[in-house]
Amino acid sequence: MILPIRAYGDPVLKKVAADIEPGHPGLEKLIADMFETMYEASGVGLAAPQVGQSVRLFIVDASPFAEDEDGKPTKDAHLKDFKRIFINPYIVEEEGEEWPFEEGCLSIPNIREEVIRQPKIVMQYQDENFEEHEETFEGFAARVIQHEHDHLDGVLFLDHLPALRRRLLQGKLRDISRGKTDAKYKMRFPG
Ligand code: NI
């Protein structure tokens, strides 16, 4: 089932999400719905608060970037296996020289801004079976995870921008929260 994506201004996007216990009701369905919702919106990552669930879960799938339309490997062929479910994730370490990358967010359609983050992270997380994992990610994969992980703490990529830049975006953000956007996927607006 495709879920509406909560738009900028929805209070759920500012909340610190709660841990998930094994046996969490409806978890399997929530994960399936989140994948369907993310694919429909052509996103590479989606966090549970973005569909109104304030729990520590996000999903990523950058594997479509690994192949072109003819099924040939692209320059991002290393992303072929980058599909994951992260439950109760924890960034153990962030390292390397900060680099800028233009980020966007399904909750903030049509705004893309350069965000500075470190390029390498070590993550501890549980998968959908609550098996523990520790894994290192770099580059684009690390970037997607850092962005999604922020959502679980009520942080948006906008919060990383310089104050002046944020101020310049205020009008556009107000429009989004009032439903003035031409996003091609289902959204829910706070107003
Ligand atoms: Ni986002």
Side-chain angles (χ1 to χ4, degrees):
M1 188 173 76
I2 291 168
L3 305 169
I5 294 176
R6 302 298 179 103
Y8 177 84
D10 192 310
V12 75
L13 297 175
K14 298 305 290 173
K15 271 173 78 172
V16 176
D19 282 335
I20 303 181
E21 303 289 334
H24 183 87
L27 182 60
E28 205 177 312
K29 165 104 169 88
L30 174 62
I31 292 169
D33 288 349
M34 282 174 62
F35 272 108
E36 203 183 332
T37 302
M38 180 176 76
Y39 293 140
E40 167 71 16
S42 306
V44 290
L46 185 68
Q50 293 182 277
V51 293
Q53 299 287 320
S54 192
V55 292
R56 302 191 81 79
L57 156 69
F58 64 82
I59 58 168
V60 299
D61 186 0
S63 60
F65 287 105
E67 287 184 352
D68 66 16
E69 290 117 56
D70 306 321
K72 298 222 179 67
T74 64
K75 65 175 175 45
D76 294 317
H78 63 285
L79 294 171
K80 187 164 67 74
D81 300 318
F82 187 52
K83 177 180 176 180
R84 297 276 190 294
I85 296 160
F86 292 89
I87 292 175
N88 302 324
Y90 174 68
I91 298 181
V92 184
E93 233 174 272
E94 286 186 277
E95 54 189 271
E97 198 176 321
E98 294 183 325
W99 66 301
F101 184 84
E102 210 172 70
E103 296 187 21
C105 181
L106 293 177
S107 295
I108 313 167
N110 301 322
I111 292 185
R112 302 191 65 84
E113 291 287 329
E114 268 193 0
V115 178
I116 311 239
R117 301 185 195 261
Q118 288 180 284
K120 187 175 172 186
I121 57 172
V122 180
M123 293 287 294
Q124 279 174 0
Y125 64 96
Q126 293 161 342
D127 61 23
E128 67 277 29
N129 303 311
F130 290 87
E131 303 273 352
E132 296 278 352
H133 297 266
E134 183 167 309
E135 207 174 346
T136 300
F137 299 94
E138 287 181 69
F140 181 71
R143 177 63 65 146
V144 174
I145 290 171
Q146 287 162 319
H147 175 114
E148 298 309 328
H149 185 265
D150 270 354
H151 275 297
L152 307 185
D153 292 325
V155 174
L156 302 172
F157 76 85
L158 302 168
D159 298 316
H160 292 286
L161 303 179
L164 175 63
R165 193 71 212 133
R166 250 190 344 246
R167 221 170 306 140
L168 290 171
L169 291 169
Q170 256 171 16
K172 280 189 191 172
L173 293 170
R174 204 176 309 122
D175 282 351
I176 292 172
S177 66
R178 288 174 179 168
K180 275 191 239 163
T181 168
D182 58 355
K184 299 291 182 291
Y185 44 88
K186 195 157 84 165
M187 295 194 80
R188 185 172 145 177
F189 303 95

